[in-house]
């Protein structure tokens, strides 16, 4: 999955012949799963039509501060557009637009949005070779880089003038590759290995029956997806569930029983920087597993159970550098029990679910958690979707590594 997936991109198109290439660029952004809004300078409309870009971006194209043809003229809020964006790209960026950006010469909507943008700004220059080398253009590049904007260098090749040299806007595929590489290099969990457990475990009674629980696995899968979005290498050890990961780079290890999960976790533990144990592991399993299906011969039937191994405790005991996060599901004395669990399992953080909170627990889309760290700092969170709880958990991981 591209790092551009789900990103909100504000594309500023200025008036150069390379503007026609923005049709492909927008298409590639959409294909990568990004949301795109386009601002065109008036001059750029001579090279590509707003209809083309609005059709491809599936959004209206913005050009003027208000729509002059419209009787009930609506003001285009450049601040709102700029704040909406996760990333702004000016492509093609002509010498004129670059100079206006460098000097704050705000005479069109694109520059107004640029000056309002708080997100990372990239620009892909496009002009003739002598313009590209002119001290005035070079001084715009220097200023913009000093502002923290990122230049996607022009390419060498045939130019609209018929001359050949440096100045061609980077090809749309290369712009996408540049953005992906740059964004990936800045992901906060890049280079970190995260082991996540998810789902229930099934403990066999006989070849057709088992002891299980209602865990859907959603919390653990959301954590794995969010961690990989932040650049982590993720191993997801999952008990039986129908869920699928969103990002194919996540290594999924499917397991059935608590013992399988224990083995898989210990196999990957040494290499991990972080462990997040979201699985609802069975605490007990049948002492004997019948080799044949048990027949209903007697009126009463009982199964002798034995304790499963506590995976998280065993990882806590083997902990070297790993940041260990566990979950606790409590119905009474929640905080005290969770604190005991932190000590007993040698955890760095516990995510406490209280079944007394409405919206928390198994088979729900939402969760209401309280974070307790190893120093017993308590942080109650709002009721949120499990995806947002996953984001909160990973914020804790990111802040651990940024200390
Ligand atoms: N856990 C584990 N292996 C087990 C049992 C639990 O790794 N055999 C992990 C879970 O994934 C979770 C945490 O430990 O992160 C939950 O701890 P547990 O002691 O099972 O607590 P609860 O089930 O919440 O409550 P109880 O104390 O009642 O068992």
């Amino acid at each position: 999955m591209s790092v551009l997936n789900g990103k909100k991109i504000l594309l500023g198109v200025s008036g150069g012949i390379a503007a026609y290439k923005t049709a492909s660029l927008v298409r590639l952004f959409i294909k990568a799963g990004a949301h795109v809004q386009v601002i065109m300078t008036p001059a750029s409309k001579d090279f590509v039509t707003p209809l083309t870009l609005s059709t491809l971006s599936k959004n209206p194209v913005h050009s003027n501060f208000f729509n002059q043809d419209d009787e009930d003229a609506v003001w285009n809020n450049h601040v709102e557009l700029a704040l909406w964006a996760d990333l702004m790209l000016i492509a093609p960026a002509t010498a004129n637009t670059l100079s206006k950006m460098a000097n704050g010469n705000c005479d069109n909507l694109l520059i107004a949005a640029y000056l309002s943008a708080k997100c990372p700004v990239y620009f892909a220059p496009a002009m003739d070779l002598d313009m590209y080398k002119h001290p005035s253009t070079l001084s715009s590049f220097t200023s913009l880089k000093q502002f923290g904007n990122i230049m996607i260098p022009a390419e060498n090749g045939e130019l609209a003038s018929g001359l050949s040299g440096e100045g061609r806007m980077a090809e749309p595929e290369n712009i996408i590759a540049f953005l992906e590489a740059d964004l990936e290099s800045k992901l906060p969990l890049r280079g970190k290995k995260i082991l996540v457990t998810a789902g229930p475990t099934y403990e066999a009674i006989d070849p057709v029956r088992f002891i299980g629980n209602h865990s859907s696995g959603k919390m653990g899968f959301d954590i794995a997806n969010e961690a990989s979005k932040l650049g982590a290498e993720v191993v997801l050890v999952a008990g039986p569930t129908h869920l699928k990961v969103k990002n194919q780079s996540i290594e999924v290890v499917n397991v059935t029983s608590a013992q399988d999960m224990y083995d898989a976790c210990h196999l990957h533990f040494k290499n991990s920087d972080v462990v997040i144990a979201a699985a609802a592991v069975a605490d007990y399993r049948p002492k004997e597993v019948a080799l044949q299906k048990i027949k209903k011969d007697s009126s009463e039937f009982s199964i002798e159970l034995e304790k499963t191994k506590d995976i998280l405790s065993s990882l806590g005991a083997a902990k070297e550098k790993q940041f260990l996060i566990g979950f606790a599901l409590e119905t009474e004395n929640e905080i005290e029990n969770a604190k005991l669990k932190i000590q007993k399992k040698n955890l760095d953080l516990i995510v406490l679910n209280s079944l007394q909170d409405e919206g928390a627990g198994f088979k729900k889309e939402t969760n209401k958690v309280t974070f307790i760290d190893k120093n017993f700092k308590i942080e109650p969170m709002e009721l949120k979707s499990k995806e947002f709880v996953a984001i909160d958990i990973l914020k804790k991981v990111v802040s651990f590594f940024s200390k």
Side-chain angles (χ1 to χ4, degrees), residues 197 258 277-283 308-313 325-330 341 344-345:
T197 69
V281 187
D283 291 325
T308 55
K309 288 181 194 151
D310 191 311
I311 303 165
L312 192 54
S313 279
I325 303 180
F327 278 72
L329 180 67
E330 304 288 345
K341 222 161 264 180
K344 210 169 83 190
K345 303 198 185 197

Side-chain angles (χ1 to χ4, degrees), residues 313-325:
S313 279
S314 67
L315 298 178
K319 180 159 106 176
E320 292 165 354
K321 46 157 194 174
Q322 291 88 349
F323 186 66
L324 228 59
I325 303 180

Side-chain angles (χ1 to χ4, degrees), residues 71-143:
E71 268 183 29
D72 317 308
V74 178
W75 184 57
N76 273 320
N77 188 338
H78 55 88
V79 178
E80 210 170 82
L81 276 172
L83 295 185
W84 168 84
D86 295 320
L87 173 169
M88 184 173 187
L89 166 68
I90 294 101
T94 59
N96 185 32
T97 287
L98 289 168
S99 166
K100 287 182 190 175
M101 287 162 64
N103 293 294
N105 183 359
C106 185
D107 69 348
N108 64 40
L109 187 68
L110 191 161
I111 304 294
Y114 165 72
L115 293 176
S116 309
K118 290 195 174 130
C119 59
V121 176
Y122 297 77
F123 60 95
M127 63 200 76
D128 221 64
L129 75 168
D130 293 317
M131 295 169 79
Y132 195 65
K133 284 194 205 117
H134 194 279
S136 164
T137 309
L138 297 180
S139 133
S140 297
F141 292 161
T142 307
S143 299

Side-chain angles (χ1 to χ4, degrees), residues 156-160 162-165 168:
N156 226 302
E158 199 178 313
L159 300 160
L163 297 172
S164 189
R168 268 166 71 122

